[in-house]
């Protein structure tokens, strides 16, 4: 059976803690800060950095909080003169040979050495000898560069390649102050999860070749998002600069239901897709138009014809819900679903960790709302000449429907991207990518996760829900006007949501802002 919880006192707070937990876990759950470098909740405990030393009453010496299990009646002090003196000593050891690279180091602004130096040390160096020099800019793999002098040998990266990616590229070589992280003979760090080592490096030793020297982190805001690279739906942070309206990097965000602490390298570059081939204004017959004008023209085409719709696996659940109400008002509609993204050349098809064969984020959402999984019925209806007006919501419609598109008399496109089609669209409705709007995706595992905007959308585009609402207005069909309206309906229909708003859902399935995975 389950072990009884134990009673522990940490800094005067009496806590009930599950047996088997460590002091650092118990402290962090109670909101008590214990510093650490080598500890990471997603890795096997190593206990080598010693910055998490705490005093346990009746113990002869200070104990490492990350490796010591709590016991009933244990009394712990995480801050007193003895503990802080030990932490100062640890910091001095770590900094003895550390280079003064901070002005040029990418880790500045999110570096635990800087943070803990201000918390505990603030002493001048007592070193009178020359510092030990180690390799500086060593390319470890396609995405990762190593700086040996900045490394504090916490071994997080070694444990990651040993226990998580199980690719065994990294190890610690030599002894004493000559110890250095290095590549195993004949290996390069190019497993599909290699950039997680950059996230978990607590200092600037492992840096991303893509992000290096591009932007200081204090100029970036982190935005909660979901990776659109495959149907796993990893929770992510999109780090963007408001000043130049650009995403600079993607990092994994803790979500124990989907990706735990990690994400694959390919997923980190999905943000580039958001910026390519953008449709930045609504158009009627190739000329720029207002949303009302474009929606009115589209409404006439939808009202008068027999309608086919190609859905997108990149639409949010909220958009699918609104679209379903719109289409229900039109009557008999033939529906298919497109494949917006397929694996690139050289991209891994799937593995038994995080990478899924379906390269689209919301296939499960489309299936749940519309019950369709392919475009066979739609293609057949087009080829038989049964469809006069085709509404395309998916990118790569040409790949999915092929020549069948040419059989439609009228094409309406609702998309954030440009695509040349066999029949030129009479109406183009410029939508937004996931990086510019809010909503939810449902992964292949059935986990629904929320995303928020990280970028300002092109001025001529409109939020996809707003476009669907404008079509509803033009057709005199009642559809939800926006995200909050959809959630109001959902909260009423799904008792398990307990009346939750999108905001509340977003906060619940996400970590508090500022708690990055690396931290």
């Amino acid at each position: 059976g389950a072990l009884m919880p134990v009673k522990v006192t940490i800094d005067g707070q009496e806590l009930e803690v599950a047996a088997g937990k460590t002091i650092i876990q118990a402290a962090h759950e109670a909101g008590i800060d214990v510093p650490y470098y080598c500890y990471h909740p997603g890795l096997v405990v190593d206990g080598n950095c010693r910055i998490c030393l705490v005093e346990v009453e009746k113990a002869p010496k200070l104990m490492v909080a990350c490796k010591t299990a709590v016991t009933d009646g244990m009394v712990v002090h995480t801050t007193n003169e003895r503990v802080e003196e030990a932490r100062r000593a640890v910091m001095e050891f770590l900094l003895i040979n550390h280079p003064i690279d901070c002005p040029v180091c990418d880790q500045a602004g999110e570096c635990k050495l800087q943070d803990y130096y201000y918390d505990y040390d603030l002493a001048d160096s007592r070193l009178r000898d020359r510092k030990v020099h180690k390799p500086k800019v060593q390319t470890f793999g396609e995405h990762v560069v190593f700086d040996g002098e900045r490394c504090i040998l916490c071994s997080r990266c070694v444990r990651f390649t040993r226990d998580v990616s199980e690719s065994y590229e990294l190890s610690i070589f030599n002894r004493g102050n000559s110890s250095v992280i290095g590549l195993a003979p004949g290996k390069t760090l190019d497993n599909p999860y290699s950039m997680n080592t950059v996230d978990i490096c607590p200092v600037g030793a492992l840096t991303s070749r893509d992000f290096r020297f591009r932007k200081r982190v204090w100029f970036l805001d982190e935005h909660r998002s979901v990776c659109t690279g495959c149907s796993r739906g990893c929770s992510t942070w999109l780090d963007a600069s408001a000043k130049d309206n650009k995403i600079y990097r993607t990092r994994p965000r803790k979500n124990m239901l989907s990706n735990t602490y990690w994400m694959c390298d390919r997923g980190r570059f999905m943000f580039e897709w958001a910026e390519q081939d953008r449709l930045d204004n609504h158009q009627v017959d190739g000329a720029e138009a207002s949303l009302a004008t474009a929606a009115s023209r589209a409404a006439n085409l939808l009202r008068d014809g027999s309608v086919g719709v190609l859905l997108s696996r990149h639409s949010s659940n909220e958009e699918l819900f609104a679209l379903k109400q719109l289409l229900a008002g039109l009557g008999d509609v033939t529906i298919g679903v497109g494949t917006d993204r397929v694996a690139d050349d050289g991209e891994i098809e799937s593995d038994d960790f995080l990478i899924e064969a379906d390269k689209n984020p919301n296939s499960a959402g489309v299936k749940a709302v519309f019950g369709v999984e392919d475009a066979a019925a739609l293609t057949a209806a087009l080829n038989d000449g049964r469809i006069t007006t085709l509404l395309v919501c998916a990118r790569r419609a040409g790949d999915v429907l092929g020549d069948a598109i040419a059989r439609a008399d009228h094409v309406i496109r609702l998309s954030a991207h440009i695509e040349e089609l066999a029949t030129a669209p009479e109406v183009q409705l410029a939508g937004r990518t996931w990086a510019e709007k809010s909503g939810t995706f449902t992964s292949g595992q059935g986990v629904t996760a929320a995303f928020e905007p990280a970028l300002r959308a092109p001025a001529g585009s409109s939020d996809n829900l707003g476009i669907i609402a404008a079509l509803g207005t033009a057709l005199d069909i009642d559809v939800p006007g926006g995200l909050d309206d959809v959630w109001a309906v959902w909260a009423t229909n799904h008792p398990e949501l307990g009346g939750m708003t999108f905001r509340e859902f977003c906060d619940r399935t996400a970590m508090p802002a500022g708690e990055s995975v690396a931290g």
Side-chain angles (χ1 to χ4, degrees):
L3 293 167
M4 290 292 288
V6 296
K7 281 198 167 59
V8 187
T9 306
I10 304 182
D11 293 351
Q13 278 191 51
E14 192 168 292
L15 309 168
E16 279 214 346
V17 183
K21 287 216 160 148
T22 57
I23 295 172
I24 202 166
Q25 288 172 324
H28 287 171
E29 280 168 25
I32 297 164
D33 189 42
V34 175
Y36 59 91
Y37 291 116
C38 71
Y39 168 75
H40 186 288
L43 298 172
V44 176
V45 173
D46 202 24
N48 71 51
C49 77
R50 318 311 275 182
I51 193 81
C52 71
L53 286 167
V54 292
E55 183 169 23
V56 176
E57 286 187 9
K58 302 196 178 77
K61 56 183 184 182
L62 298 182
M63 309 291 278
V64 274
C66 68
K67 222 171 183 172
T68 310
V70 292
T71 56
D72 204 36
M74 183 184 265
V75 180
V76 180
H77 303 282
T78 72
T79 53
N80 61 24
E81 195 43 49
R82 194 177 164 206
V83 167
E84 297 197 356
E85 183 51 43
R87 289 183 188 159
R88 270 196 289 279
V90 168
M91 285 302 299
E92 183 170 36
F93 270 123
L94 291 178
L95 291 170
I96 274 180
N97 288 305
H98 198 80
I100 312 300
D101 271 352
C102 304
V104 296
C105 177
D106 255 353
Q107 196 76 8
E110 50 186 10
C111 176
K112 290 291 190 203
L113 277 174
Q114 289 176 347
D115 297 347
Y116 294 158
Y117 173 77
Y118 280 97
D119 288 347
Y120 298 105
D121 192 27
L122 277 180
D124 292 341
S125 174
R126 297 188 290 167
L127 183 70
R128 293 291 168 261
D129 300 305
R130 294 190 59 172
K131 295 196 175 214
V132 174
H133 291 296
K134 291 180 182 177
K136 282 301 272 184
V137 186
Q138 192 180 359
T139 302
F140 266 8
E142 188 187 346
H143 299 302
V144 182
V145 172
F146 176 64
D147 184 320
E149 290 183 354
R150 296 177 189 166
C151 173
I152 60 168
L153 296 164
C154 72
S155 82
R156 277 180 171 192
C157 58
V158 176
R159 283 175 284 150
F160 179 84
T161 59
R162 182 189 72 196
D163 302 324
V164 182
S165 66
E166 297 181 2
S167 48
Y168 299 97
E169 296 98 338
L170 300 178
S171 194
I172 299 178
F173 296 90
N174 307 334
R175 290 186 172 186
N177 64 5
S178 307
S179 295
V180 65
I181 301 279
L183 290 164
K187 290 217 164 192
T188 50
L189 183 63
D190 53 10
N191 72 72
Y193 300 93
S194 69
M195 292 175 78
N196 289 294
T197 60
V198 173
D199 299 324
I200 60 178
C201 182
V203 296
L206 292 171
T207 48
S208 151
R209 291 176 70 179
D210 175 68
F211 181 65
R212 256 170 91 84
F213 307 136
R214 297 267 311 283
K215 201 69 161 173
R216 284 301 195 181
V217 297
W218 52 83
F219 292 128
L220 299 175
D221 298 307
E222 50 184 21
H223 304 275
R224 291 175 290 197
S225 194
V226 175
C227 177
T228 59
C230 79
S231 64
R232 168 66 62 169
C234 295
S235 285
T236 60
W237 294 112
L238 291 179
D239 292 339
S241 155
K243 183 166 167 268
D244 39 13
N245 197 35
K246 189 170 163 52
I247 298 169
Y248 280 88
R249 64 177 180 180
T250 310
R251 291 174 296 128
R253 182 163 57 96
K254 175 184 169 187
N255 185 337
M256 299 315 283
L257 297 172
S258 52
N259 53 312
T260 66
Y261 305 94
W262 319 115
M263 72 181 294
C264 77
D265 292 352
R266 181 68 189 92
R268 289 172 192 266
F269 298 105
M270 290 318 297
F271 68 83
E272 295 171 352
W273 199 69
E275 296 161 4
Q276 291 163 0
D277 309 327
R278 290 304 301 274
L279 178 64
D280 50 17
N281 51 44
H282 308 298
Q283 296 171 8
V284 173
D285 295 327
E288 194 172 328
S290 68
L291 176 57
T293 307
S296 157
R297 174 70 171 275
N300 291 339
L301 297 175
L302 290 167
R303 194 185 289 115
D304 300 341
S306 53
V307 178
V309 181
L310 184 66
L311 299 168
S312 167
R313 298 177 197 267
H314 280 245
S315 291
S316 69
N317 289 315
E318 291 78 2
E319 290 158 23
L320 293 166
F321 178 80
L323 199 56
K324 187 171 189 179
Q325 283 182 247
L326 181 78
L327 298 178
L330 284 174
D332 192 24
V333 175
T334 310
I335 291 171
V337 56
T339 301
D340 297 60
R341 194 175 95 78
V342 291
D344 302 326
D345 289 343
E347 185 178 346
I348 289 178
E349 208 40 65
S350 64
D351 65 15
D352 55 6
F353 185 28
L354 295 179
I355 302 172
E356 301 290 339
D358 177 359
K359 300 298 177 197
N360 298 277
N362 206 22
S363 302
V366 176
K367 191 179 175 201
V369 178
F370 283 97
V372 291
E373 294 190 70
D374 59 33
L378 180 59
T379 309
L382 279 164
N383 283 330
D384 296 349
R386 282 183 281 132
I387 286 173
T388 51
T389 300
L390 177 66
L391 172 60
V392 173
C393 302
R395 201 173 169 191
R396 295 186 188 246
D399 297 352
V400 178
L401 298 173
D403 302 337
I405 293 177
R407 304 293 303 273
D409 299 337
H410 311 285
V411 176
I412 303 163
R413 272 188 86 243
L414 192 176
S415 179
H417 300 277
I418 295 164
E419 186 190 7
E420 299 291 322
L421 296 176
T423 297
E426 282 173 46
V427 182
Q428 298 248 34
L429 298 161
R432 293 181 180 168
T433 69
W434 92 103
E436 297 156 353
K437 63 189 178 188
S438 295
T440 59
F441 291 139
T442 302
S443 76
Q445 286 74 30
V447 177
T448 298
F451 53 90
E452 301 173 309
L455 297 175
R456 294 184 299 280
S461 71
S462 302
D463 189 78
N464 298 39
L465 281 168
I467 294 173
I468 296 166
L471 289 171
T473 304
L475 287 160
D476 206 22
I477 298 169
D478 191 26
V479 296
L483 194 75
D484 294 335
D485 298 352
V486 174
W487 272 79
V489 177
W490 283 357
T492 319
N493 296 351
H494 297 281
E496 70 273 16
L497 281 174
M500 218 184 293
T501 63
F502 173 77
R503 253 315 109 235
E504 289 163 345
F505 179 78
C506 209
D507 291 339
R508 221 184 71 166
T509 56
M511 291 203 311
E515 246 188 76
S516 78
V517 173

